[in-house]
Amino acid sequence: MKEVAMNQTEINENVERVMLSGEQIGKRVKEVAAQLNKLYEGRRPLVVCILKGSVIFFTDLIRHMDMPLEIDFMAVSSYGNGTKSGQLKVTKDLTTDISGRDVLIVEDIIDSGNTLYNLKKLLNSRSPASVNIVTLLDKPERREVPMEPEYTCFVIEDEFVVGYGMDYAEEFRNLPYIGVLKRSVYEK
Ligand code: PRP
């Protein structure tokens, strides 16, 4: 019988290498949560999980946030360039009225920036007190529109990453680490 510890560190056969271990992620998530604790001290933020990729990051992050907070969920996808014909498709909207609220958007990855550019515009149109973004990963070299998250856990190179919530064709979200996917998986 395999030991539990082995299962946690065993590398999936489709993964080229582990970019960030569960331990590294956990340490950094705690650091960023400490920054958020200062920012939202004495306030009651609405923390928004952008489905599906950020779900694991979100659940880890909020457990290190120590002010009273509320949570909500949203599912979106973006088409085109945020500065021109950018369109956001909302497949699941918030159930909370965000007018006058401090909103914290939790995202797993910023790539072209189109999704968050359009999402921030949409949420700002609902008269919140503030909107901040915290992202687990940022790939700044892929940016097509100006989008600077207020909080970033890790800036990474342009590689195909999976795990810790992130998928390829809906697979690999449950890996407890962030791995670089083998090219043969997505080029076949
Ligand atoms: C990913 C990610 C962001 C978006 C970033 O979502 O969660 O929402 O892409 O890309 P962009 O900066 O180029 O707009 P995805 O569409 O993969 O959905 P998922 O979270 O459900 O996997």
Side-chain angles (χ1 to χ4, degrees):
M1 196 177 88
K2 282 184 186 172
E3 292 179 15
V4 175
M6 186 60 195
N7 275 335
Q8 289 297 310
T9 52
E10 208 171 76
I11 299 178
N12 183 286
E13 61 179 356
N14 298 294
V15 168
E16 185 72 51
R17 67 183 172 88
V18 174
M19 177 184 272
L20 293 160
S21 68
E23 202 181 348
Q24 286 173 301
I25 299 167
K27 189 166 167 270
R28 182 67 185 136
V29 168
K30 250 176 149 171
E31 287 172 1
V32 171
Q35 294 178 284
L36 294 168
N37 286 338
K38 281 191 195 136
L39 176 74
Y40 291 115
E41 195 182 349
R43 291 147 86 184
R44 185 188 179 89
L46 176 72
V47 189
V48 176
C49 174
I50 308 301
L51 298 169
K52 304 176 189 170
S54 71
V55 68
I56 295 178
F57 173 44
F58 175 84
T59 54
D60 278 350
L61 184 75
I62 59 171
R63 281 180 288 179
H64 292 295
M65 293 177 68
D66 58 16
M67 77 294 297
L69 57 77
E70 293 173 36
I71 63 171
D72 206 341
F73 300 86
M74 208 168 172
V76 296
S77 53
S78 185
Y79 303 99
N81 186 310
T83 54
K84 293 179 187 143
S85 57
Q87 296 242 335
L88 192 73
K89 188 177 169 200
V90 178
T91 50
K92 190 227 167 291
D93 208 340
L94 298 172
T95 54
T96 315
D97 175 4
I98 64 166
S99 154
R101 300 295 307 267
D102 291 306
V103 177
L104 177 66
I105 302 174
V106 182
E107 205 26 308
D108 55 333
I109 189 162
I110 307 180
D111 198 337
S112 70
N114 283 311
T115 305
L116 280 177
Y117 181 95
N118 292 315
L119 179 61
K120 204 170 177 182
K121 207 160 67 176
L122 174 69
L123 295 187
N124 273 325
S125 74
R126 298 177 182 178
S127 311
S130 65
V131 177
N132 284 303
I133 295 168
V134 58
T135 188
L136 175 66
L137 303 178
D138 188 5
K139 281 185 183 177
E141 66 187 85
R142 296 263 304 174
R143 209 65 100 248
E144 292 172 10
V145 290
M147 171 43 62
E148 281 298 319
E150 282 74 18
Y151 298 90
T152 302
C153 293
F154 302 97
V155 174
I156 63 164
E157 305 274 300
D158 184 16
E159 292 184 285
F160 202 132
V161 286
V162 293
Y164 196 69
M166 291 171 290
D167 74 312
Y168 170 67
E170 294 302 327
E171 210 181 315
F172 310 113
R173 294 192 196 272
N174 56 328
L175 298 181
Y177 53 84
I178 295 171
V180 177
L181 197 63
K182 285 182 180 166
R183 290 191 90 86
S184 56
V185 179
Y186 56 92
E187 281 181 352
K188 66 185 171 194

